[in-house]
Each structure stands twice: as C-alpha cells, then as structure tokens.
Amino acid sequence: MFLAVETGPAPEVSGAGHVGSELAIPTSNRQDFDIAVTWGLAGHMVYKDWSVVRTTGGVATVTVGASDPSTYFSAYREGSSRCTDPTRGVEVDGMGRLDTGELYAFTAVMCDNGADGSGTDVFRLLVPTAAGYEGGGTAASGGISKVSGTPPAPAIDRIAGIGAIGPGTPTLGSEYQEFDFDVSSTPGGRLRYTDYSVVRNGIAGNMFVDNAADAATGWISFHQTSAACVRMVGRGRIDTNELWTFYIDACDNAITGTGGDTFYINLPDRRGVAVPYVKSGSLVGGDIVANGGPGPSVGSLSVATATTGSDLDPDGYTVTVDGGNAQSIPVNGSVTYVELAAGSHSVVLSGIAANCAVSGGTTRIVTVPAGGTATTSFDVTCGSPAVALVFKVQPSNSRARQTIEPPVQVKAIDAQGNIVTTFTGAVTVAIGRNGGLLAPGQLSGATTVNAVNGVAAFPTISIDQIGSGYTLVTSTAGLSGSESRSFDIMP
C-alpha cells in the first residue's frame, strides 16, 4: 500500500507570554509559557510557574524539546471545550520534563480569542498525575496564534505491521529488532516487540501490549502525524515485569517489500538518570499497512542448547514441538521451526544421557508472535557417567518386621568413585545372603526407588525372620551392583 503525502497546510499552534500581572520572581503568582506545536507533533514547550519555589531557589519548570528525547508531544486536537468558543481552541498532549528530573504526562490547552496583547487569549497546563496540577489562565502579555489547516489525508484509523529493523539477525546479541502490532484509533490493539541486542537471563529483551492478557497494559493515544505516519503511545510490560510508557512512530511509506516503511520506538527515561531507549530504521523485512487488515498469523521458533561439563552426549538431543515436529539438535547448536501458528507452543528436549541434567527442566512454553521469531534455550550440564552402585548407608542390625534404621542408602558412582548427581534411575535392593534361622527371610517395603541427585534411599524396608549374616545386594539397568556388609535380624 502506498499513501500519497498531503501537500496542503496542516494545523499548528504557537504562543508566548505570561499569565498573571506580578513580576517574574519566586513566590509570585505568575506563569510564563512558550510553545509551538505542529499537527505532526514537532515543536517545543517551556512552562514556568513562579509560585512553586524549590529549596535551591529555582521555580517549577516543565520543558519539551528535541534535545531531550524522553519528552514529546503525543496528540494534537483541533477545538477545546475549555475555550469560550471551542472552535478557537487547541489541545496538545505530551510528556514533559520537570526541573527536578521527573517526567510527567500533561495536556496544554490554548485559546486564540484575539490579537496578541489583547488580554483575551488563554493558556492552561494540566498535569493530572502531579496532584491534579492546573496552572495558567488568561494571558497578561503575548498570546496564542492558531493556524487552521487541513489535517493530513487520507485519515488513518488503523495501522498494523509485522517486520524487523536493524542490520543483524534474530540471534542473541545481534542488533536486530522485531515487531508485530495492530492498533486502532479507539485506541486499542496489541504489540509484540523483541530486541535481540538486549539479553537477559538467556532470552532477548521484549515488551508486549495485550490488554486481554494483562489489564495493566494498553494504548493511551493514537495520532496521525502525516499522510503516511501515526504516533501511538502505550503502556507495555517488559521482560523484567516492569511497566513502561513508550511511543511508536510507524510509517506506511511504500508498497509491500520495497523497504520504504519505517519504524521508531522510544521508551522515555522515566527515572531521569540515563538516556532513553530508542531504536529506529527502515524495515529490513515485513510491512507496515495503514487502514489494512491484520498481518500473517504464523511465526518462527528458534531453539538452542548450551552444554557444559564432561562426557557430553555424543549424539546430541531431540527437540519436539507440541508432541510432534521432532528435530535433532547438537549439544551446542540450534534448530528453527517456521510457519508455526502464532500463540503458545510446548517445546520438549529429550534424548538426554543419564550423566546429564537440564536446568529448569526439559519443557518450555513459548509464545510465537505472528510474523516474528520466538527463542528459547536449554542449558545442559554433564558429568562423568555412572558405572556402579555402592552403599552410601549400610544396613544395620534390626528387629524382625521393623524398618531398618537408619534408612539404607545407595549411591551411583563414576569410575573415580564420585557420586554422579545427574543419575536418577530406578535402584532395587534385595536379600543377598539369607541368614534366616527358622525360615528364609523375606524383604518387605519399597524395594525399588528412583535416585535423587544420584542417591536412592530405602526408608521402609524390613525383614521378617530372625537370623544372622544377612546381606543386601543392589541392581539397576546398565550399572554394576554391589553387596552390603553383613547384619543381623533379632527377635
């Protein structure tokens, strides 16, 4: 889709002056303003309230300007019910920097009621999150100039996009960003955004907006800035579980596949101590469509393994998605699934040698974004393989039909005699040498248990016949067993 650029004049508003008749000194009831904003949301604002005095002697100031990327204008509305004649008004929303460093959302209301200096124009600043602050009033000097025009056409009431920017590839650490969004002018919609250059806990940094799944996320404003571009402000959940306010400028500049569409995302520095997060560029894949339908409903999944330790599994592993789609994967490698339906998928790693263990388990639930690539990884640690079973806690003398105390324990060891903590196989104990005096003894209780961290414990076993010189023997598939020291069963 291609949108022709509107060439006619677009609305804009500007003004400078002050409210109140007092001098520009701290504690005076005076507010100064200097603002200029175009329909395309370019411009600046400086607002100073001399009645709010800081401990340093300075006064409260709110600024918006290109030199501070964390500040911006987010919407421009022709007309305002706060003006005596609403048609002579303009309202502008934005994010401003307070002199103390904090960022605050605001609305500026401007009424062009007459010539500059006539004492009829009005400027007001509303900051609802700052204890409901409202300042300004009728301009005592200067004034507001509203330039009426034609908003960019055609009107955009929905914009969707699936694609990527950046010179890299969808691999961890690469300068590559993927997006999948569909937003309407209501405003409402969804967003999935992934930045592979940001890596935390083995996954790429990501953010989503999905009000149905997370009510704290959502869209705040939707504003067409040109014939081809829209600015969308939202509140998203990032992978650290924090909520961040952000904005996106998306432009449908070109026919699908020509690479002319652009994507810009900005997460303002809400703490005021660093620089904002900003990524932008022309699309290297995908498309942005204004007033079009939703994008594709499929995506890709990249699965990786990272194996450390000794005696690594020589034939690698198997990855299975949703109970099927099995692929072989090397011990340190990756595989990619394409054309998966967007949504949640189960990913299982199998074929793991007995001397290896998977951190966090062998199953992952991964959400594949439409038109994008999801990633997941399995960290595997291997040790020397187990070769034998030996007694860790030997059986002690006990009484007939009473459990043997302390509980017998059997450990799996490697060739050097070390416990193999990755061994979790089933271990069985049985009577070796039977010392029953009146009749052969019978072993009761749970005689087969699974090892935990290489050790199998038997807290319930007992022998029913008195005798002396009993022994126990161990067994499991693939390992050599052993015989315990002798012990007695007493009346």
Side-chain angles (χ1 to χ4, degrees):
M1 179 179 183
F2 178 76
L3 296 176
V5 176
E6 174 65 39
T7 58
E12 62 181 62
V13 66
S14 62
H18 79 271
V19 174
S21 59
E22 299 187 36
L23 297 176
I25 57 175
T27 73
S28 71
N29 185 23
R30 170 177 169 142
Q31 295 91 45
D32 294 343
F33 63 90
D34 179 359
I35 187 169
V37 188
T38 68
W39 178 268
L41 303 181
H44 71 273
M45 183 184 77
V46 179
Y47 174 82
K48 184 175 293 187
D49 188 340
W50 293 89
S51 69
V52 181
V53 183
R54 309 300 187 195
T55 56
T56 59
V59 298
T61 306
V62 180
T63 59
V64 179
S67 62
D68 185 351
S70 291
T71 65
Y72 57 90
F73 296 108
S74 58
Y76 184 112
R77 293 183 294 277
E78 286 266 281
S80 175
S81 61
R82 287 178 167 267
C83 298
T84 304
D85 180 354
T87 64
R88 303 183 72 89
V90 173
E91 294 185 359
V92 176
D93 298 335
M95 182 74 73
R97 177 84 69 184
L98 198 61
D99 57 289
T100 54
E102 296 99 330
L103 291 168
Y104 281 99
F106 68 87
T107 296
V109 178
M110 290 153 281
C111 308
D112 183 8
N113 295 322
D116 286 358
S118 64
T120 58
D121 291 350
V122 174
F123 179 87
R124 296 187 185 279
L125 188 73
L126 290 68
V127 188
T129 55
Y133 175 89
E134 180 173 340
T138 302
S141 70
I144 300 297
S145 177
K146 174 187 174 184
V147 177
S148 297
T150 303
I156 299 174
D157 56 18
R158 179 184 180 186
I159 190 164
I162 296 175
I165 58 175
T169 58
T171 56
L172 293 180
S174 176
E175 188 59 51
Y176 189 85
Q177 295 84 40
E178 288 179 332
F179 59 83
D180 172 11
F181 66 88
D182 188 349
V183 187
S184 68
S185 59
T186 310
R190 60 174 173 78
L191 166 74
R192 293 278 172 178
Y193 174 79
T194 302
D195 186 349
Y196 289 91
S197 71
V198 178
V199 182
R200 284 187 285 259
N201 300 320
I203 64 171
N206 62 86
M207 179 176 68
F208 73 90
V209 176
D210 185 346
N211 189 254
D214 187 340
T217 67
W219 296 96
I220 299 169
S221 67
F222 178 105
H223 182 81
Q224 182 179 349
T225 57
S226 72
C229 302
V230 172
R231 176 166 295 182
M232 300 160 281
V233 179
R235 184 175 296 107
R237 180 84 66 183
I238 65 174
D239 53 282
T240 60
N241 204 38
E242 295 177 282
L243 284 169
W244 283 75
T245 299
F246 67 96
Y247 74 93
I248 289 172
D249 287 336
C251 297
D252 180 13
N253 294 319
I255 298 170
T256 302
T258 64
D261 293 346
T262 58
F263 180 87
Y264 173 99
I265 185 169
N266 185 315
L267 276 71
D269 167 29
R270 68 180 183 185
R271 298 186 178 94
V273 295
V275 295
Y277 171 91
V278 176
K279 297 291 181 179
S280 65
S282 297
L283 271 57
V284 296
D287 189 29
I288 292 175
V289 180
N291 291 330
S297 58
V298 297
S300 302
L301 169 65
S302 177
V303 183
T305 61
T307 309
T308 57
S310 58
D311 293 291
L312 306 189
D313 196 328
D315 58 358
Y317 317 111
T318 299
V319 174
T320 305
V321 175
D322 298 331
N325 278 335
Q327 291 193 52
S328 296
I329 183 171
V331 294
N332 287 294
S334 64
V335 295
T336 299
Y337 291 83
V338 297
E339 298 297 314
L340 287 179
S344 296
H345 295 272
S346 171
V347 184
V348 177
L349 188 70
S350 59
I352 302 150
N355 65 305
C356 301
V358 182
S359 176
T362 57
T363 301
R364 304 280 188 272
I365 302 298
V366 183
T367 299
V368 173
T373 301
T375 61
T376 190
S377 62
F378 294 90
D379 293 327
V380 185
T381 303
C382 298
S384 298
V387 297
L389 297 175
V390 297
F391 284 89
K392 185 174 187 286
V393 176
Q394 295 278 351
S396 302
N397 296 337
S398 185
R399 297 186 183 279
R401 299 187 179 85
Q402 293 186 4
T403 56
I404 298 174
E405 296 288 348
V408 172
Q409 293 185 17
V410 176
K411 62 183 179 181
I413 61 171
D414 60 19
Q416 289 73 45
N418 303 309
I419 294 179
V420 179
T421 58
T422 56
F423 178 77
T424 57
V427 177
T428 299
V429 292
I431 293 178
R433 189 166 66 250
N434 202 310
L437 295 179
L438 302 179
Q442 300 294 322
L443 184 65
S444 300
T447 58
T448 299
V449 298
N450 289 327
V452 177
N453 294 327
V455 177
F458 300 86
T460 65
I461 60 174
S462 64
I463 296 177
D464 62 345
Q465 297 293 329
I466 62 173
S468 60
Y470 279 100
T471 63
L472 298 179
V473 292
T474 65
S475 63
T476 191
L479 306 184
S480 61
S482 62
E483 186 175 20
S484 73
R485 67 189 181 192
S486 61
F487 61 98
D488 301 333
I489 299 296
M490 300 173 290

